[in-house]
Amino acid sequence: MSDKILQVKDGNIVSTVNTFLKGLLEQGVVQALLVPQEVPSRKTAFPVLVSDPKKLDANIFAPALPVSTASALSKITRIKGSDKPVGIVMRACQLRATIELAKLKQVNLENIMLIGVDCLGTFSTNTYGAFSEKDTPTDFILKGADTAKYLRSSCRVCKDPVPAHCDITIGVFGMDRSKELFIHAATEAGEKAVKDLPDLSDTGSREKGIKQVQEEKNAARAAFLKEKSTIQGIDKLTEFFDACINCHNCMKACPICYCKECLFESAVFDLEANKYVAKTKNKGLYKMPVDSLLFQVTRMNHMILSCVQCGLCEQACPNSIPLMDIFIAAAENAQAEFGYMPGRDPKEQVPLVVFRENEYHDVGEK
Amino acid sequence: MEHFEPKVVGFLCNWCTYAGADLAGTSRIQYPPNIRAIRVMCSGSVDSVYINRALFEGADAVLIGGCHPGDCHYINGNYKERRRIVLLKNILGTLGLEKDRVWLRWISASEGQKFADTVTQIVEDARKLGPNPMAKKWNV
């Protein structure tokens, strides 16, 4: 466990971190890196898997999260883990998702070096793409501009933007961004990777910076939860989901929804024409396709305990249903019920796979 | 007002509650005929999707009947179902839907009387709650 400093060259923290990451590849600390890099059109920044240091043009501060980095890691390691060290740069919410996926045996963390980065928040892909080349979204967010109206709602009210459970942390909170970045190594592999960097003598300002960000987010979060608490009851809820076309994009974007064949994409609920017609006798009429609310509420039942509140579901919705307006409250309440926090501890088990004999007697029997 | 007769969907465990219902029948114990029994192999096999579906189609109450704690034919399916129902009720609560329409009860194969009493109580409570408003929602 050691705290270090990465000195910023020419006031450019993006290229400074890029050089640091290049070093990891060149020194063979990692054989490959999964790291955010802007696409050539600069419309967004995707995670790229890169092994050639010359090709690396990482921008880990680009405020974009078009896809789940945790899902990308799952894709890479699910069949078989890596024999060679691979580094992966992630935001806090994606680290939480990675821990959850590891518990669910969808990520193999063998030889994976997790590099966490302080998250300043992300913009939707559309917002990001609308920025001009002169004032890039990265510059905009790094110079500390008021980003509240640009951020995705899940980022505006982020639960915790500080990464946890990683080998190396790259920090900006509480640091003078034009001069130095905070580097923390938590494991032996991490120590080895940062051994050449100078030590940080005083962590006081870093701790203060983190506290300040967390207080800001918590206040925004409390206001958000209060404002959205009116979305309740059958009328409001059906109205909320009225534009849902049952495309399941939210499920595909979700890092936690990992089932290869979702129940809702199977033939379980397919009926013959006669049965569909008979079914209309129940209510008189049905919206087609059927079961959009059933899908939403059941998906919630299946994944909410591991929900890391990354907001990718909302970003994926073609009809802009503000899913986080209800998912944040649902996640908070459900996780509190079981005293569970996704991503908190890799050793903790997901609540629905374990049980105690003596619990919840009020539900089973009064 | 139209006469309201509650519809109750029951997911009954093959080894306990379903046999308990059978016993209630063979013992000629009277109970309201409002329950539609669905035999399942274990209460632990009742996913939230089936409960939600019943509620969203307009069922006035849903009963999940399993073996008493410790008696599960598959060792611990009922314990796992209990957690699932806790979660389901928590979510329904957050969404402002009627979680009191969902009942989880442990009824063994020898408890015919308990089965009849449970169904009677569920139907009485459903009458007090009134018709499930979901029965009128076609846009779900």
Side-chain angles (χ1 to χ4, degrees):
Chain A
M1 297 263 273
S2 61
D3 296 320
K4 304 268 191 180
I5 297 171
L6 184 62
Q7 257 135 11
V8 176
K9 290 199 185 75
D10 309 324
N12 188 336
I13 74 171
V14 174
S15 68
T16 303
V17 173
N18 191 43
T19 311
F20 169 71
L21 294 173
K22 256 185 195 167
L24 297 183
L25 279 174
E26 280 161 355
Q27 293 154 26
V29 176
V30 291
Q31 295 289 310
L33 271 171
L34 184 64
V35 59
Q37 180 159 323
E38 273 193 318
V39 288
S41 66
R42 314 195 114 205
K43 278 181 187 161
T44 185
F46 268 89
V48 294
L49 184 64
V50 49
S51 58
D52 182 355
K54 287 196 234 40
K55 293 275 169 67
L56 181 68
D57 187 16
N59 181 353
I60 68 165
F61 297 105
L65 192 65
V67 293
S68 156
T69 330
S71 301
L73 182 60
S74 170
K75 183 92 185 159
I76 293 169
T77 63
R78 193 168 49 206
I79 295 177
K80 190 178 181 297
S82 175
D83 295 333
K84 303 192 175 89
V86 174
I88 172 154
V89 181
M90 280 186 169
R91 295 169 187 281
C93 61
Q94 295 305 302
L95 272 161
R96 295 197 285 271
T98 300
I99 302 290
E100 290 306 291
L101 287 173
K103 288 178 198 170
L104 298 162
K105 311 234 181 314
Q106 300 302 311
V107 157
N108 186 335
L109 288 175
E110 216 170 305
N111 287 316
I112 299 292
M113 179 186 277
L114 295 172
I115 304 170
V117 54
D118 275 0
C119 185
L120 296 162
T122 61
F123 306 156
S124 76
T125 307
N126 288 343
T127 310
Y128 191 102
F131 273 80
S132 73
E133 225 168 280
K134 280 195 195 108
D135 186 20
T136 67
T138 312
D139 294 341
F140 182 72
I141 203 158
L142 281 175
K143 74 184 175 202
D146 182 16
T147 50
K149 70 173 180 179
Y150 295 89
L151 291 178
R152 299 188 298 123
S153 63
S154 47
C155 297
R156 198 160 46 74
V157 301
C158 180
K159 196 171 176 62
D160 190 1
V162 183
H165 299 298
C166 36
D167 299 272
I168 302 173
T169 307
I170 302 177
V172 290
F173 296 140
M175 309 300 284
D176 180 352
R177 284 171 211 174
S178 59
K179 295 204 184 82
E180 56 195 25
L181 289 170
F182 170 80
I183 303 284
H184 175 77
T187 62
E188 209 175 301
E191 295 274 6
K192 230 164 99 188
V194 302
K195 62 181 189 304
D196 299 334
L197 298 177
D199 284 326
L200 173 68
S201 47
D202 178 24
T203 56
S205 96
R206 164 80 180 156
E207 278 153 25
K208 217 171 115 191
I210 288 178
K211 207 170 154 228
Q212 192 195 336
V213 174
Q214 283 171 340
E215 273 167 13
E216 278 169 27
K217 294 286 180 195
N218 285 343
R221 194 176 173 77
F224 180 86
L225 282 169
K226 193 165 170 233
E227 185 195 330
K228 307 298 179 190
S229 63
T230 54
I231 310 171
Q232 272 214 337
I234 290 177
D235 293 334
K236 293 266 180 63
L237 192 69
T238 48
E239 191 187 311
F240 184 83
F241 283 117
D242 259 352
C244 177
I245 58 168
N246 235 342
C247 67
H248 301 172
N249 271 359
C250 43
M251 165 195 99
K252 282 162 198 152
C254 177
I256 303 302
C257 270
Y258 66 84
C259 295
K260 279 187 186 145
E261 191 187 7
C262 176
L263 175 72
F264 285 93
E265 303 208 326
S266 72
V268 169
F269 297 126
D270 285 353
L271 301 177
E272 301 150 25
N274 288 346
K275 290 199 173 150
Y276 268 112
V277 174
K279 195 171 139 86
T280 60
K281 299 228 162 61
N282 197 4
K283 296 189 182 186
L285 72 167
Y286 276 97
K287 179 179 96 173
M288 295 297 290
V290 294
D291 293 343
S292 48
L293 186 67
L294 181 70
F295 165 72
Q296 292 291 351
V297 178
T298 304
R299 189 179 94 83
M300 205 182 249
N301 269 278
H302 289 173
M303 53 61 71
I304 202 77
L305 286 171
S306 289
C307 177
V308 296
Q309 305 176 19
C310 63
L312 285 173
C313 49
E314 179 174 309
Q315 180 170 262
C317 182
N319 286 347
S320 310
I321 299 175
L323 286 164
M324 295 317 277
D325 287 5
I326 58 172
F327 269 72
I328 290 183
E332 287 292 300
N333 294 343
Q335 291 162 12
E337 177 84 62
F338 291 94
Y340 182 75
M341 265 168 74
R344 175 173 57 188
D345 181 357
K347 290 190 192 77
E348 229 173 342
Q349 276 181 299
V350 183
L352 288 191
V353 304
V354 287
F355 62 88
R356 277 202 295 272
E357 290 178 10
N358 247 326
E359 61 176 9
Y360 303 118
H361 293 294
D362 52 328
V363 171
E365 208 108 302
K366 274 174 195 145
Chain B
M1 209 185 103
E2 215 177 304
H3 176 68
F4 167 53
E5 205 49 62
K7 284 182 186 162
V8 181
V9 176
F11 296 99
L12 312 182
C13 151
N14 174 61
W15 306 99
C16 290
T17 312
Y18 195 83
D22 240 8
L23 182 64
T26 48
S27 315
R28 305 199 170 214
I29 303 169
Q30 295 289 316
Y31 64 89
N34 303 48
I35 188 164
R36 279 80 168 152
I38 298 170
R39 184 168 66 116
V40 294
M41 288 312 284
C42 178
S43 60
S45 71
V46 183
D47 188 87
S48 52
V49 70
Y50 302 108
I51 303 164
N52 284 331
R53 153 144 285 185
L55 290 175
F56 294 178
E57 290 290 328
D60 299 301
V62 178
L63 164 68
I64 300 97
C67 305
H68 282 268
D71 288 351
C72 178
H73 190 78
Y74 305 101
I75 300 166
N76 54 29
N78 48 1
Y79 288 121
K80 288 175 178 162
E81 182 67 7
R82 180 163 65 188
R83 282 204 162 200
R84 229 175 279 154
I85 299 295
V86 169
L87 176 63
L88 177 90
K89 285 185 171 240
N90 183 293
I91 290 175
L92 292 180
T94 303
L95 301 179
L97 303 178
E98 297 163 306
K99 59 180 178 183
D100 292 341
R101 293 189 188 274
V102 181
W103 298 67
L104 176 67
R105 286 293 178 271
W106 316 130
I107 300 165
S108 82
S110 64
E111 294 175 320
Q113 188 61 50
K114 184 174 178 187
F115 179 79
D117 294 345
T118 305
V119 175
T120 309
Q121 192 194 353
I122 292 173
V123 173
E124 266 172 31
D125 273 32
R127 271 191 222 284
K128 275 182 217 144
L129 272 174
N132 182 354
M134 276 291 182
K136 292 221 166 13
K137 287 278 176 194
W138 57 268
N139 55 335
V140 296

